[in-house]
Amino acid sequence: MNDVVIITEAAAYQIKDMMKDHEEENAYLRVGVKGGGCSGLSYGMGFEHEITEEDQVLEQHGLTILVKKEDAPILNGTKIDYKQSMMGGGFTIDNPNAIANCGCGSSFRTAANTGTPEEC
C-alpha cells in the first residue's frame, strides 16, 4: 500500500525544527483537509498528541504522520515539500487529485469532493 501523504526530507527537517521550537518533540504530525477556501477545500497541518481509530498512521523520516481515514482518498499521493527562497521559506503541497486550485495554493477541489467554497 502506498503512503497517502509523502513528506520530503526537507519538509520533515523543517517540521522537526518547528516541533523543537514549540516544545512538541513528542507530538505526531496531523495532515488533513477541511471545507473552505476559494476552491472548496483547504489543507491543514498541525501537531497532535493522540491517535484515534479514525487515523491512518504513517512513518516517514522519523516523523509519525496521522491522516483521518475519511481524508485519505482526497489526499492520496499528496507530496509535501519545503522550499527555501530569497523571500523566505514555505511548504508546498502537490496533490495529484486536485482538479482546481486557487492562486494561494492552499485551496483546492477534487472530482469527487468540491468542499464548501468561500469568497476570496
Side-chain angles (χ1 to χ4, degrees):
M1 183 170 99
N2 292 339
D3 283 342
V4 173
V5 174
I6 299 113
I7 307 276
T8 66
E9 198 170 350
Y13 180 81
Q14 188 64 29
I15 291 162
K16 287 179 189 174
D17 234 25
M18 292 168 77
M19 286 175 153
K20 189 174 180 186
D21 289 348
H22 293 94
E23 298 180 0
E24 293 279 6
E25 284 105 331
N26 297 321
Y28 309 114
L29 175 69
R30 169 148 332 263
V31 178
V33 174
K34 60 184 188 286
C38 32
S39 293
L41 297 168
S42 295
Y43 300 106
M45 287 196 317
F47 302 134
E48 186 77 52
H49 292 275
E50 289 184 30
I51 299 172
T52 72
E53 289 179 12
E54 298 169 19
D55 290 326
Q56 192 167 339
V57 181
L58 314 170
E59 296 281 340
Q60 295 174 20
H61 304 290
L63 284 174
T64 301
I65 303 145
L66 307 179
V67 176
K68 284 200 183 303
K69 290 175 184 168
E70 67 184 37
D71 291 346
I74 299 168
L75 292 171
N76 194 26
T78 296
K79 182 177 176 184
I80 299 174
D81 197 4
Y82 186 82
K83 306 265 190 217
Q84 191 71 41
S85 71
M86 299 274 287
M87 302 293 285
F91 290 99
T92 61
I93 299 174
D94 179 21
N95 184 341
N97 307 301
I99 60 168
N101 291 297
C102 93
C104 61
S106 66
S107 182
F108 69 103
R109 75 172 178 259
T110 66
N113 196 326
T114 57
T116 51
E118 301 169 349
E119 290 293 318
C120 282

